[in-house]
Amino acid sequence: MNILVVEDDRRIASFLERGLAAEGYHVSVERDGRDGLERIRADSFDLVILDRMLPYIDGMEVCRVIREENLPTLILMLTAKDSLQDKIEGLKGGADDYISKPFAFDELLARIVALRRRGGTEQPKLLRAGDIVLDAAAHRVSKAGTPLQLTLKEFELLAYLMVNADKVVSRQRLLSSVWDYGYDPGTKIVDVYIRYLRKKIDSADAPSLIQTIRGVGYMMTRQ
């Protein structure tokens, strides 16, 4: 799972970064609302842990823009404001959940798991890349109208790449998001499954839909 922490308190940001990384999550940190919003627009995150009180652009405005622009990420708002009205405003503003400071790390982890389980942002029903069409709801994939038989992990890997089409996705992010693995520099499982997918979705007379970005990871092209 790819998580962005937007928190201006360096102590809290460092604590979250180290703690979540130790749990196997891929974590990035930004320390103000302006940089946080730019990062969310540029990259793909499964979850944003968003402080409400931020420099330049506050968390409520960042949350509003994320929802207005339909950026596909869950939002867990983190704040020192703990009144009922503040929580209501945060949830109405587009947050998927709301946790008050100070908080127990175990509670934060439990909320992340709950958010991931229920999902927060609606993905497109049909994903397309070249002549490949993936129907997430029906769990079907076809190539030029012909159904493809994929294993569960092949399907999940393809879906993740198609959701992030035309964006470079690192091997570590794929490990975290598709396999729930922490950092393991020795594993070749991502590369192995990419080979499996290429054999099933690529055409012999055309470039691969999944490009290798040397030293980084892979990118699915829409073509």
Side-chain angles (χ1 to χ4, degrees):
M1 190 177 194
N2 200 31
I3 298 176
L4 175 65
V5 175
V6 187
E7 168 63 68
D8 62 327
D9 186 314
R10 290 181 178 273
R11 182 181 58 83
I12 295 175
S14 177
F15 167 72
L16 289 173
E17 184 177 23
R18 288 184 286 105
L20 292 171
E23 293 294 323
Y25 295 109
H26 185 264
V27 188
S28 302
V29 176
E30 297 293 345
R31 292 195 169 87
D32 65 66
R34 182 176 59 195
D35 289 346
L37 187 55
E38 287 302 310
R39 187 70 179 276
I40 295 163
R41 284 168 167 160
D43 298 330
S44 179
F45 293 98
D46 303 298
L47 171 68
V48 176
I49 299 177
L50 181 65
D51 187 25
R52 179 162 175 161
M53 305 297 290
L54 291 167
Y56 303 116
I57 304 176
D58 69 27
M60 285 297 296
E61 179 64 10
V62 172
C63 185
R64 184 191 66 77
V65 172
I66 289 172
R67 294 303 180 229
E68 192 174 78
E69 296 183 4
N70 293 316
L71 300 173
T73 184
L74 295 160
I75 301 173
L76 174 58
M77 192 164 283
L78 183 65
T79 180
K81 294 189 172 184
D82 61 356
S83 73
L84 178 59
Q85 187 58 38
D86 289 324
K87 293 179 181 179
I88 291 172
E89 287 177 3
L91 294 171
K92 282 185 175 180
D96 295 290
D97 202 356
Y98 196 109
I99 188 169
S100 301
K101 301 175 185 177
F103 57 90
F105 188 67
D106 284 347
E107 180 187 0
L108 179 74
L109 291 177
R111 288 177 183 249
I112 290 172
V113 170
L115 282 172
R116 187 177 185 183
R117 185 180 298 122
R118 76 171 190 249
T121 54
E122 185 178 351
Q123 299 292 352
K125 292 181 180 179
L126 294 179
L127 299 171
R128 302 176 187 273
D131 59 356
I132 302 298
V133 178
L134 185 147
D135 186 334
H139 208 274
R140 287 196 298 259
V141 182
S142 63
K143 177 179 174 63
T146 302
L148 294 178
Q149 299 299 317
L150 302 184
T151 67
L152 177 60
K153 280 303 174 189
E154 288 171 349
F155 183 91
E156 291 176 351
L157 176 58
L158 179 61
Y160 194 85
L161 289 168
M162 292 180 76
V163 166
N164 294 284
D166 294 330
K167 295 180 181 178
V168 179
V169 183
S170 69
R171 288 178 176 83
Q172 175 56 32
R173 207 164 107 200
L174 290 170
L175 273 176
S176 174
S177 300
V178 179
W179 281 272
D180 281 330
Y181 282 9
Y183 180 64
D184 183 354
T187 185
K188 299 293 184 182
I189 193 169
V190 173
D191 308 85
V192 169
Y193 271 81
I194 290 292
R195 287 200 299 272
Y196 292 163
L197 275 182
R198 282 173 170 160
K199 288 180 180 178
K200 294 183 178 182
I201 70 172
D202 285 345
S203 301
D205 57 348
S208 177
L209 288 170
I210 305 174
Q211 296 182 10
T212 300
I213 310 301
R214 289 194 178 279
V216 182
Y218 297 96
M219 182 174 71
M220 186 92 185
T221 58
R222 295 185 195 278
Q223 290 190 355

